[in-house]
Amino acid sequence: METIKTYLENMFMHVKNTPEVEKAKAELLSMMEDKYQELKNEGKSENEAIGIVISEFGNLDELAGELGIEETVADSNETEGIHVSLEEAKQYCKDNAKAAILYGIATMLCVFSPVLLLLVGGLQEEMRFADSIVVAGGLVPLLLLVACGVVMFIVTGISMGKYDKYEKEVLFLDYSTKQFLEAQRESEKVRFALQIAAGVFLCIVSVMPMLIVGSLELESELPSVFTILVMLAIVAVASFLFVSAGVKSDSYHVLLQEEEYAADRKRKGSALHIFDSIYWPVVTFIYLAWSFITMEWHITWIIWPVAGVLSAVIESILRSATQK
């Protein structure tokens, strides 16, 4: 019966999942089970029984009218899409896992980039550094870190560009591929939850040194500068955890066509795809432009956590609009 169930899932792989389709699938499965047991009782071997059942009930186009889903099946046959095999799904998950780490590192570099500039700037007042030392010891490393982060974003995005079709077009997965992806996601659920929890914990903890030093009312500003550096370093690590976990988890939404990647939304065309493709490049441009124009690098870093929160809000709004 497992063979018959798998075959049935493959039969309905292209069909839009509706309550009527689910009812028809259950009805057809019952019919196939009854026929299988009948043939077994007649003395047919398992392979013979399976072959007869499939030959008799294996054409969904012929059975659609009897099952009451003729129009749905006809519409599904006209829908263009991509068939994703188990091996292709595994390769996508593998490549996406690498991309998640690279995106996380790139985000961490951008958040961490002002640290040396803040440190050198803070020490300049105490030790009377020349401006050239501030540029060489703070501004140059900042630009290098930002450049490395941007390059990693671009290169990783280009390397994952071959999978853009998975996010935009309707995907058809066979039963075994769906089972593998669901089992794989379930096995990684605890790790994802721990990463997010650790990121939230770090964000909360990051402000504690600043609060402690601020309550001491010290004359020197250096301790305050160091607390900002510590906060940035901790937030950078938290950003890595958030981004790497989010990107990796998103791969399952893409393949299983959930949330913003649901087949119905792809057919309508989702504004989320456009938003995702332009949002972070625009944020990076604003960060660099603002920083170079004002030279307030110790302030402009705030754009990254603000952009992260704003991204989540905008995506929630777009998801709600797409569902209507």
Side-chain angles (χ1 to χ4, degrees):
M1 285 308 305
E2 199 61 38
T3 302
I4 292 175
K5 290 178 181 178
T6 300
Y7 187 85
L8 181 67
E9 290 292 336
N10 289 333
M11 285 175 61
F12 281 85
M13 182 173 60
H14 306 80
V15 183
K16 181 181 178 181
N17 193 21
T18 65
E20 292 77 15
V21 169
E22 285 294 325
K23 182 180 177 181
K25 188 189 295 185
E27 182 181 344
L28 183 55
L29 177 60
S30 178
M31 294 165 59
M32 296 173 82
E33 287 178 340
D34 292 342
K35 184 64 177 181
Y36 174 80
Q37 291 300 332
E38 179 186 332
L39 293 169
K40 289 287 290 182
N41 293 336
E42 292 176 359
K44 300 290 185 182
S45 68
E46 184 175 347
N47 290 336
E48 288 177 323
I50 291 173
I52 294 172
V53 169
I54 289 176
S55 64
E56 187 170 329
F57 298 98
N59 193 323
L60 187 58
D61 292 331
E62 295 177 359
L63 296 169
E66 182 181 343
L67 295 171
I69 55 172
E70 187 172 12
E71 185 176 341
T72 304
V73 171
D75 291 342
S76 299
N77 288 338
E78 294 176 0
T79 302
E80 296 183 358
I82 301 173
H83 294 266
V84 181
S85 67
L86 179 58
E87 288 304 315
E88 288 172 331
K90 288 181 178 179
Q91 187 61 48
Y92 172 71
C93 289
K94 181 180 178 180
D95 291 345
N96 188 269
K98 295 178 182 177
I101 294 174
L102 293 175
Y103 280 133
I105 293 174
T107 304
M108 184 170 64
L109 290 176
C110 290
V111 174
F112 189 75
S113 61
V115 167
L116 288 177
L117 180 62
L118 293 173
L119 177 60
V120 176
L123 292 174
Q124 184 183 26
E125 296 183 5
E126 298 286 335
M127 305 181 69
R128 298 181 180 179
F129 288 150
D131 290 341
S132 59
I133 295 179
V134 175
V135 172
L139 187 57
V140 171
L142 181 147
L143 294 176
L144 287 175
L145 289 175
V146 171
C148 288
V150 172
V151 169
M152 289 179 71
F153 276 125
I154 294 173
V155 172
T156 305
I158 292 174
S159 67
M160 292 297 291
K162 59 186 176 183
Y163 296 116
D164 285 349
K165 57 187 179 182
Y166 287 2
E167 300 179 9
K168 299 174 183 177
E169 299 185 36
V170 177
L171 305 182
F172 299 123
L173 310 177
D174 60 34
Y175 184 61
S176 60
T177 303
K178 285 184 180 178
Q179 281 191 317
F180 167 80
L181 291 172
E182 289 171 353
Q184 190 75 7
R185 178 169 61 180
E186 188 65 27
S187 68
E188 296 183 358
K189 185 179 293 184
V190 174
R191 183 170 66 83
F192 289 151
L194 288 176
Q195 276 192 247
I196 298 300
V200 172
F201 174 78
L202 289 175
C203 287
I204 295 173
V205 170
S206 66
V207 299
M208 292 178 63
M210 187 180 297
L211 294 175
I212 294 172
V213 171
S215 66
L216 297 178
E217 298 182 357
L218 301 175
E219 294 183 3
S220 174
E221 293 185 0
L222 272 182
S224 297
V225 172
F226 281 111
T227 58
I228 294 176
L229 304 185
V230 171
M231 183 187 71
L232 276 178
I234 294 175
V235 171
V237 175
S239 300
F240 170 81
L241 294 174
F242 286 138
V243 173
S244 59
V247 173
K248 184 69 174 69
S249 178
D250 208 39
S251 65
Y252 296 108
H253 294 316
V254 170
L255 291 176
L256 294 171
Q257 299 187 108
E258 300 171 341
E259 298 182 2
E260 67 265 32
Y261 303 106
D264 289 346
R265 300 186 192 181
K266 289 179 180 179
R267 293 186 181 102
K268 295 177 184 177
S270 175
L272 276 167
H273 299 311
I274 301 174
F275 171 75
D276 288 338
S277 65
I278 65 174
Y279 182 74
W280 288 109
V282 170
V283 169
T284 303
F285 173 79
I286 293 173
Y287 168 69
L288 293 174
W290 181 20
S291 300
F292 277 113
I293 291 173
T294 64
M295 296 305 292
E296 300 285 347
W297 296 89
H298 61 290
I299 297 175
T300 56
W301 65 269
I302 197 68
I303 194 173
W304 296 107
V306 171
V309 173
L310 186 60
S311 172
V313 173
I314 295 175
E315 287 186 5
S316 297
I317 294 172
L318 291 176
R319 286 193 189 100
S320 300
T322 307
Q323 288 176 340
K324 295 179 181 179

